[in-house]
Every structure is written in C-alpha cells, then in structure tokens.
Amino acid sequence: MAKILAVDDSASMRQMVSFTLKGAGYEVVEAVDGVDALAKAKGVKLDLVISDVNMPNMDGITLIKELRAIPAFKFIPMLMLTTESTGEKKQEGKAAGATGWIVKPFNPEQLLATVKKVLG
Amino acid sequence: MTIDMSQFLETFYEESFEGLEIMETELLALDVGEADSETINTIFRAAHSIKGGSGTFGLNAVADFTHVMETLLDEMRDGKRQVTEEAVNLLLTTVDVLREMLTALRENTELDSERIKVTHDQLEELLDSSSSSSTVQETDNSSKDVPAGAQSWHISFHPHVNLFKTGNDPVRILRELETLGELEVKMDSSALPEFNNLDPEESFLGWELELKGEATREAIDEVFAWVEDECDLTIMAAEAEAEVIHAEAEPEPEPEERSQTEGRSTASTQSRKPKAAAESTSIRVGIDKVDSVINLVGELVITQSMLSTLGESFDMSKVNSLIQGMEQLELNTRQLQEQVMRMRMMPINFAFQRFPRLVHDMSQKMGKNIELKMTGEQTELDKTVMEKIGDPLVHLVRNSLDHGIESPEKRKEAGKPETATLRLNAYHQGGNIVIEVIDDGAGLNEEKIFAKAVEQGLVPADIQLEPARIHELILLPGFSTADEVTDVSGRGVGMDVVVRNIRSLGGSLEVWSKPGHGSKFTIRLPLTLAILDGQTVSVGEEDYIIPLISIIESIQLTSDMLNIVVGKGETFKLRNEHLPIIRLHNVFGGSPNTTDLIEGLLVVVESDGRKIGLFVDELKGQQQVVIKSLEVNYKRIEGISGATILGDGSVALIVDIPGLISLSNQVTATGRLKKSA
C-alpha cells in the first residue's frame, strides 16, 4: 500500500489527515515540521508527501525544495496544504517543486479524492 | 467514507489555547515601532493554525474572526503595516475574544456575539484605516461561466519540458479528464528529439483533446490548476468563439474564500453537539519520560522473574541472592517511582505565562513603568501544585505592582530609575521549588504596618518588634494596610489567604523588605504532594514522621544547654541561639518513655527561617513515605499534615513543622502555653 508522509505542526490537523488516510488503507508517516519530515524521509521509500506550509523550524516550501534535491524524491508527488488566499504561496510552492496543493479548510472526502487522483 | 470530525476537536482546542498563549506572550514581547519579524511570524503562524483548524473542523465563527486578525498580522509580517501600540492592544483583545469563543464552543455555552462583533469591527476598521489595500478579495467567477449548452471542448495541452520535475504526470491529467466525459486523445510527438538526445526526465509530448459531454469550464480548469504554469494550454468551447488562455492569464478561483463567505452566514446559527465541559484533566508527557518508565517496568519484570525463580527452590544457601534481588527490587521501585512522579511535573512557565500580560495591563492602568523579568521558567513542579500556586502568585504580583512599586514621579524623586523592575524567579533547592517575587519599589512601610496591626488589635501597642517580625504581621488574618480599596488589590482579601493556600500545599512564605529598596516574597513548595522523605521518630508507642527537609540536626541535650523560663516555656541554647522546645507528647498526647529532656532526643527543625527543638524518645529509620490525607480520611488536626502507612502496616502521623512552629510562636509571643491535644 502507498506510503504517505504527512507534515503539519498542528496536532489536530495531523490527526485528521493521518486518520483519514489510514482509514482509506494508506500507510502514514507523521512529522511535526520540515526538519522532522526531512529526517523521517531520508532512506524511506515514500509515494506521496503532504505538507503544511506555515511551520516553525522549517516551512513547507523549504521542505519541498530540500526533498526535491534528494534523488529518490525527484518525481514523488508533493502536495501543500495551504490557506493562503493569494496565489503567491502557491507560485512559491510550485517554484520549489510542489506538485499541487489542497486548500484549507478541506474535508476528509476532498483530501482522499485528491490523494487518489495523484496516486492513481 | 464519513469521518466524525468532532473526535479531533479536543486536540484542536488544546493546541489552540496553547497557540493563544504563544500569541499573547509574543505580542507582549513585541517592540512597538521596530518589531522583530521572527516574533511577528510566530504570532502569525499561531493565528494561521487556529484559522486553518477551525475552518476544517467546522467552527466557522472562529475561522471568520481569525481571518481578519490574520490579515492584519499578514500585513505586519510583510512590512505593509507599522506595529503600533494600538494594533498590539487590539490584537491582545482579539486573543482574549478568541479564547472566550473557543472556551464557549468547547463548553457549549453561548457565544458573546456582541463582543465578537465589536472586536471584529475594530479589526476591520484598523485594516481599512491604513494605506494597505490587501483586504479580502472577492473573487468574481462569473467571467468564467460556461456558455450554456456547450457540448464539447477542444483542449490543446502542451506540457513544458520540466513538468515531471514537480512530480506531475500528464497521464494523471488525461485520466482525470476522462472522468468528465468522453475523451478523444491525439498525441503530438513532433517535439520528441532523436533517441540519442532524449533526456528521459523531460517531457516532450503534447496532446490535442476533444472532450464531449456536460463538463463545465471550471471542472476542466480544476484539472489543470496545478500545471497551468508548466504548459501551454488552450481551452475552447468547440461551438463557441475561441477563448485562448495562457498560463498566467487568469487567477485561480479561491474555494477558501467561498467557503468562508458561506461560513459567515451560518456562523451564528451553527448547531453544536452538547458536550460535557472538559476540564483540563489531561497532561502532555514527553515521549522520553514515557519511554523511561517503560524501560524501568521492563527492569522490574526481570527482577520479579528472577525472584520468583529463586522462590521456587529456595534454601538458606541462596539467601545472598535473595538479598541482592531485594536490593534490585528496591532500586527498580524507587527509580520507577521517580520517573512516574516526573510525568506529573510541568515547567513553572505554565503558571508564569500569565504575568507578562497582567503586568502590561496593570502598569498601563496605573500609569507606572514596570519591566517584568522572569528566570527559571523551565523549573519543573508537580501539576497539582502548579494549579494551586497560580492564584497566590497573582495576589503577590498584584500587591507588588499596586503597593510596592511607586509612580514614576516618586521614583524619580527617590533617585531611582523611572522604570521599576519586577522579578519572578524559580529554582530548585533540595526537595523544594522556590519561587520569588521581587520588586524594587518602596518596600514595606513598617510604621504603617505596626500602627495598623495595633489598631486592628493584632499586637499590643507597647511591644517592641524587630523589622522582620513587623513584616510578618502582614501575613496575619484580617490585616490590610490599604487606605482605600483600589481596583488592583486591597479588596480585603489579605495575605493570610495567600499564606493559607501556600501552607495547604505544604509550603511556606517568607517576607523580606527594606524601606526604599523594595521587597521580596519567597515561596517554598514541595516538588510533589504525594511523597516525602521522612525521618521516623518514636514517642512511647507512637511513631511520627518528620519531613527530612525541615530537619537541621538531632542532638542529645546536656543540662547546661537548658534554660527554663517560668511562664515562657522551655528553651535550649544551640551554639548562639536560644530555641524553644516543643515536647511532642505534650502536643499530641501519648505516654513517652521519658519526660526528662536530658534523656530523650531533640530534633532541631526549621521552617520560615525559624528553628525549634522537638523532644522525642528516639530516632528510627529514614524512608520515603506516601502521604495520605488525614482530612479526607478523618479530620484536620493542628500540627499534623497527614498520615502514612509504614512497612509493618502500622499508621504513622506526619508532623506539620510550619504548623508546630507557629504554635510555638504563639507560646513565646503571648507567654501563654497553648496546648492543643
């Protein structure tokens, strides 16, 4: 089953994302910020990364940039969870190598639909 | 698949309240005028998380409210807006309102919609007032509306070479389009280079697509939303005029904005599931603490299995192994106990964090300049103790701010800096945590205190008291020097309540003051309420436990040390001090083995900086005892703080040293021997 890295500094969002994905049969690795995510991603085969943008220590955009630099993550889909109402963050995220985004607030159904779309 | 979102609410509330604390702390740390961008970013992030979570978990009123706050913070973060005192104060109020909203939602009580609206409007007003233009964008989607009756779409899709580099895949997009209707696909491979020049990580193919069916323009845009900057894209309604769009032509519709506008209308009427008011009964424990407990339990299990193996075929030749095993067991148990106690420990910061705000608000109200300095915020103490020390601390801080610290003018006259300093320090000392509240204000007014105490009949007018004793008068029940009741303190709830609260936690309060230099209140508290290191002493048949931390030494008296003053009780001379003697059997009854002071033992104990000698028959062992409340199981007894069960199953009473010392004070101060047996 596909393995997904879910990164968010908010415990409730992390719980929700993780619970939803696990409920759909995905394997989920949780991380609390970019630094944590990067550490957990190294040496692991992942199929998808879902990351919040605004986080302490290392934000989601830097995380995506760092991950893309790792050969194993060159083509792995990476989605940003964003509430930014301007397109700015999305562009910044795309420039860093993000595949796409999920706009907050979202419900579990939307999350699953997007994940299914990406993972095929 | 439906998921009950309410299961995440408790976590959301907890982290939101933490976020609000962070916002408050950081807001108070903000320097008006030249704000540190990292600080603003931290505040922004907290607001942002609350907004995101509340939207996701259906708390639309909160999401809506936080959105305005976030906009303001965003402008500050981007440097579009000055950090003014006005803005900071409004943001602090916003934090309060948010906290009230979240509390109301959590406990399922009525939202104060009036206050929310007022604050909301103030925020909007502030946003409008500046040059900044970044307000909520209303997204106009009408221009994108599909011409009615469109039967089919022509889509020309030519990804740029680096499409794969963002993890996108044209096949996924085609597959998704297929779900919208009947799809005809024509591939354009004209850009494909010679095989030798082909870089497999790049994208060279393009597609001409015909999509038949009811698909809306929006749905198609959505499919290409993630890649619109990474391809040449033309979408045309086959029967309408060609409508050419290039990558950056049109902004993305904002689903977020839409849902928030919807949220606005439903916010006030949203129905909530009734839910029992959740008290803060959970604690967060670091995973390292849990791991070390698990590790120790493992050790315990090993020791247990070793002992049971030993027990299966035990004979006296194995007695050494048995002793070793028992020692191991004792070690394991003690370590386990320590680790479990650590789980209940939290940094004192939880009690301290309300003070920056308190000091900020009060100094504004009173027109004083006060700087708050805190040290040792990470000092840990038991959660229960922490919860109970909050109110006494607030009382002490308020007292210092109101009575202790002078107005800037007075300070200037006295040659002191106009800005006063209030310090909160916390540190560990032995088995205690010490908390100090120190101000550099005027100090206690000794004459006034004495005069008031006489007036209130607390001390006789002709008595001569040292300054230190005068300071202690303020701790007596019913004492207040406030000439008038102020808004801040001096409502008549005196220091005696503070003292009583601290005593009930097994702690003590010390006062130090120097006129013109300030005052210092020192609170000493046990780290935990559950366990204590005790010295067992015996009086006749009875065993008593004396807390080890209050014992200074134990001595055998000689007759030349004794000094019996008629009517004033018994004292003894220890080095250069004359200390009162309390005979435990006089206080608690029982028949001692000896009543001769020379024959028994004297345990010298200290509390609040005062020492007394406790007369007992003999010392027994030292051990950790688990404190059982006497009040709960029997009733409160003066001079006894609790009871415990000893290894042999008998009950021993734990002596309340501060209580006994104040008992002995009454004896020496009034000259009357007061027995409470």
Side-chain angles (χ1 to χ4, degrees):
Chain A
M1 196 70 223
K3 197 177 202 174
I4 302 174
L5 175 63
V7 195
D8 203 313
D9 57 325
S10 152
S12 56
M13 288 300 292
R14 216 163 50 233
Q15 270 180 21
M16 196 272 264
V17 169
S18 170
F19 186 88
T20 305
L21 295 176
K22 281 179 183 160
Y26 296 107
E27 202 182 318
V28 183
V29 180
E30 293 180 35
V32 299
D33 59 32
V35 175
D36 187 25
L38 208 53
K40 285 181 174 152
K42 280 187 178 139
V44 180
K45 195 196 163 300
L46 290 164
D47 300 287
L48 172 65
V49 177
I50 301 178
S51 173
D52 188 25
V53 176
N54 262 292
M55 293 182 293
N57 302 324
M58 185 194 286
D59 67 14
I61 289 173
T62 316
L63 170 67
I64 288 170
K65 214 177 280 173
E66 295 274 335
L67 283 176
R68 278 279 177 248
I70 303 171
F73 284 87
K74 209 163 177 182
F75 303 113
I76 300 294
M78 301 188 198
L79 303 180
M80 306 185 283
L81 296 176
T82 170
T83 62
E84 305 291 333
S85 43
T86 59
E88 230 169 84
K89 279 279 163 189
K90 290 175 187 166
Q91 295 315 320
E92 219 181 298
K94 290 292 295 185
T99 307
W101 52 81
I102 303 174
V103 179
K104 288 200 257 186
F106 57 89
N107 59 37
E109 290 77 17
Q110 287 165 322
L111 173 68
L112 279 183
T114 312
V115 168
K116 276 196 189 121
K117 187 168 98 180
V118 175
L119 290 178
Chain B
M1 175 179 180
T2 49
I3 287 171
D4 178 14
M5 298 287 258
S6 65
Q7 61 186 311
F8 310 115
L9 272 177
E10 197 45 44
T11 314
F12 169 70
Y13 286 129
E14 262 184 45
E15 74 189 1
S16 295
F17 285 120
E18 274 170 32
L20 287 172
E21 298 284 2
I22 291 169
M23 275 155 89
E24 188 163 57
T25 312
E26 299 296 321
L27 277 169
L28 292 168
L30 262 184
D31 283 325
V32 170
E34 41 180 327
D36 170 42
S37 66
E38 190 42 47
T39 310
I40 297 182
N41 215 358
T42 308
I43 302 168
F44 175 84
R45 208 158 44 224
H48 188 75
S49 286
I50 295 175
K51 180 185 140 183
S54 52
T56 304
F57 301 123
L59 310 174
N60 295 325
V62 178
D64 180 32
F65 187 77
T66 329
H67 178 72
V68 195
M69 181 187 202
E70 192 201 43
T71 311
L72 183 64
L73 285 165
D74 195 25
E75 289 182 11
M76 287 180 172
R77 187 174 65 152
D78 293 348
K80 288 186 206 153
R81 176 179 292 279
Q82 284 276 308
V83 178
T84 60
E85 182 139 8
E86 185 200 0
V88 170
N89 283 338
L90 181 55
L91 284 169
L92 281 170
T93 312
T94 312
V95 169
D96 289 342
V97 174
L98 263 178
R99 190 178 284 131
E100 284 163 21
M101 286 173 91
L102 288 167
T103 310
L105 287 166
R106 184 192 215 176
E107 289 166 6
N108 203 25
T109 53
E110 205 57 42
L111 286 174
D112 184 354
S113 41
E114 189 52 38
R115 177 151 185 207
I116 295 167
K117 191 177 178 306
V118 169
T119 315
H120 190 282
D121 290 350
Q122 281 173 336
L123 282 169
E124 294 274 19
E125 207 175 297
L126 189 67
L127 277 173
D128 290 342
S129 69
S130 87
S131 54
S132 167
S133 60
S134 145
T135 44
V136 183
Q137 315 161 321
E138 291 303 328
T139 320
D140 182 10
N141 290 324
S142 56
S143 64
K144 285 192 168 188
D145 277 355
V146 199
Q151 295 293 306
S152 92
W153 296 92
H154 179 80
I155 303 163
S156 165
F157 173 44
H158 289 265
H160 296 164
V161 282
N162 47 15
L163 181 83
F164 298 131
K165 302 247 157 84
T166 57
N168 274 297
D169 184 351
V171 176
R172 175 181 65 69
I173 293 168
L174 298 183
R175 205 183 286 139
E176 212 183 327
L177 275 176
E178 216 173 4
T179 63
L180 297 175
E182 197 186 319
L183 190 68
E184 256 176 56
V185 183
K186 264 184 235 151
M187 191 183 73
D188 173 8
S189 59
S190 57
L192 202 64
E194 293 275 310
F195 190 76
N196 288 342
N197 301 330
L198 184 95
D199 180 346
E201 295 190 352
E202 292 186 337
S203 154
F204 303 103
L205 301 178
W207 289 269
E208 298 297 325
L209 307 160
E210 292 295 330
L211 182 65
K212 294 199 178 102
E214 300 291 302
T216 62
R217 176 64 200 263
E218 271 179 14
I220 299 170
D221 280 342
E222 177 97 19
V223 173
F224 290 100
W226 291 351
V227 294
E228 61 178 11
D229 286 352
E230 291 158 79
C231 63
D232 294 322
L233 183 66
T234 318
I235 304 173
M236 284 187 298
E239 279 147 14
E241 286 290 301
E243 191 185 352
V244 181
I245 301 160
H246 274 285
E248 51 290 294
E250 230 167 310
E252 183 55 12
E254 300 291 338
E256 181 193 20
E257 292 303 330
R258 262 176 277 146
S259 68
Q260 279 187 348
T261 328
E262 283 155 24
R264 211 158 287 170
S265 55
T266 56
S268 53
T269 53
Q270 65 172 293
S271 65
R272 279 171 255 119
K273 269 203 322 188
K275 177 175 165 293
E279 270 294 304
S280 61
T281 45
S282 66
I283 49 174
R284 288 188 174 206
V285 179
I287 198 84
D288 59 318
K289 290 185 180 179
V290 178
D291 283 347
S292 74
V293 167
I294 291 170
N295 186 27
L296 283 168
V297 170
E299 297 276 322
L300 195 63
V301 170
I302 294 168
T303 310
Q304 186 270 333
S305 81
M306 182 190 97
L307 284 172
S308 77
T309 313
L310 195 65
E312 275 164 18
S313 57
F314 186 73
D315 59 60
M316 282 314 284
S317 67
K318 292 176 183 163
V319 75
N320 276 336
S321 314
L322 179 67
I323 291 169
Q324 262 179 18
M326 287 305 186
E327 281 168 357
Q328 189 64 37
L329 187 65
E330 192 207 329
L331 181 72
N332 292 155
T333 318
R334 197 174 57 238
Q335 285 175 339
L336 187 61
Q337 178 195 328
E338 277 168 15
Q339 292 302 324
V340 171
M341 297 318 279
R342 265 186 68 204
M343 283 189 166
R344 290 191 53 91
M345 303 288 258
M346 294 167 82
I348 186 106
N349 201 16
F350 283 88
F352 274 7
Q353 64 194 4
R354 68 176 91 173
F355 291 111
R357 180 69 188 275
L358 186 87
V359 173
H360 172 89
D361 287 359
M362 280 183 46
S363 47
Q364 282 205 332
K365 205 180 215 164
M366 298 188 302
K368 295 178 181 175
N369 300 334
I370 300 160
E371 190 188 352
L372 176 67
K373 286 186 179 164
M374 302 195 285
T375 61
E377 295 109 307
Q378 293 308 316
T379 315
E380 291 195 325
L381 81 165
D382 188 278
K383 183 169 185 279
T384 318
V385 182
M386 172 110 58
E387 279 163 3
K388 291 186 177 156
I389 200 61
D391 290 341
L393 266 181
V394 169
H395 198 96
L396 289 176
V397 168
R398 279 172 174 263
N399 266 340
S400 276
L401 295 177
D402 194 22
H403 302 311
I405 291 172
E406 319 89 324
S407 61
E409 301 79 47
K410 275 195 186 162
R411 292 184 63 88
K412 212 171 169 186
E413 272 171 42
K416 294 204 253 185
E418 284 180 40
T419 302
T421 311
L422 181 74
R423 281 170 205 281
L424 283 173
N425 299 335
Y427 53 91
H428 282 154
Q429 195 180 63
N432 285 331
I433 178 166
V434 179
I435 307 169
E436 299 170 335
V437 180
I438 308 169
D439 68 62
D440 64 350
L444 296 173
N445 186 332
E446 286 157 18
E447 282 166 34
K448 198 165 157 188
I449 290 169
F450 187 70
K452 279 274 175 181
V454 172
E455 188 187 313
Q456 285 158 348
L458 298 169
V459 287
D462 54 356
I463 201 169
Q464 282 292 322
L465 289 178
E466 295 166 41
R469 295 284 99 80
I470 295 180
H471 301 154
E472 282 163 12
L473 292 174
I474 66 167
L475 307 180
L476 291 176
F479 186 87
S480 173
T481 56
D483 293 327
E484 55 192 294
V485 172
T486 68
D487 208 19
V488 177
S489 64
R491 272 174 213 277
V493 184
M495 291 289 290
D496 58 315
V497 180
V498 174
V499 176
R500 201 161 60 233
N501 282 337
I502 293 172
R503 288 249 172 89
S504 75
L505 293 171
S508 64
L509 177 66
E510 252 172 61
V511 191
W512 175 94
S513 165
K514 194 170 172 191
H517 286 81
S519 50
K520 172 163 126 180
F521 291 84
T522 309
I523 303 173
R524 250 172 253 276
L525 292 168
L527 286 180
T528 169
L529 298 178
I531 287 183
L532 132 149
D533 279 307
Q535 166 73 53
T536 313
V537 298
S538 70
V539 178
E541 295 290 295
E542 297 295 327
D543 282 341
Y544 295 94
I545 309 286
I546 298 175
L548 215 51
I549 48 164
S550 34
I551 299 182
I552 298 171
E553 59 190 310
S554 298
I555 52 169
Q556 181 110 44
L557 283 179
T558 53
S559 54
D560 56 319
M561 292 163 84
L562 270 176
N563 183 17
I564 296 162
V565 186
V566 179
K568 289 235 170 192
E570 298 158 323
T571 63
F572 69 104
K573 190 174 177 197
L574 179 67
R575 290 174 278 275
N576 291 321
E577 288 177 286
H578 284 279
L579 305 175
I581 295 173
I582 297 232
R583 292 170 183 248
L584 274 193
H585 63 93
N586 273 355
V587 182
F588 301 125
S591 44
N593 293 345
T594 173
T595 54
D596 188 344
L597 289 171
I598 312 289
E599 271 182 44
L601 267 178
L602 210 58
V603 182
V604 184
V605 293
E606 180 183 24
S607 166
D608 291 343
R610 265 171 292 158
K611 297 173 193 162
I612 55 168
L614 295 179
F615 180 63
V616 301
D617 282 351
E618 60 176 318
L619 295 183
K620 292 169 121 183
Q622 291 179 0
Q623 67 186 108
Q624 288 202 318
V625 297
V626 178
I627 303 171
K628 305 275 180 194
S629 165
L630 208 56
E631 259 171 283
V632 173
N633 298 310
Y634 176 53
K635 64 175 185 183
R636 178 163 173 76
I637 294 178
E638 192 89 0
I640 295 290
S641 61
T644 191
I645 297 164
L646 297 176
D648 63 2
S650 66
V651 173
L653 298 175
I654 301 166
V655 180
D656 171 21
I657 299 299
L660 268 191
I661 288 182
S662 63
L663 216 65
S664 92
N665 269 345
Q666 289 166 18
V667 173
T668 44
T670 61
R672 275 177 288 122
L673 189 69
K674 187 178 159 195
K675 281 189 197 175
S676 63

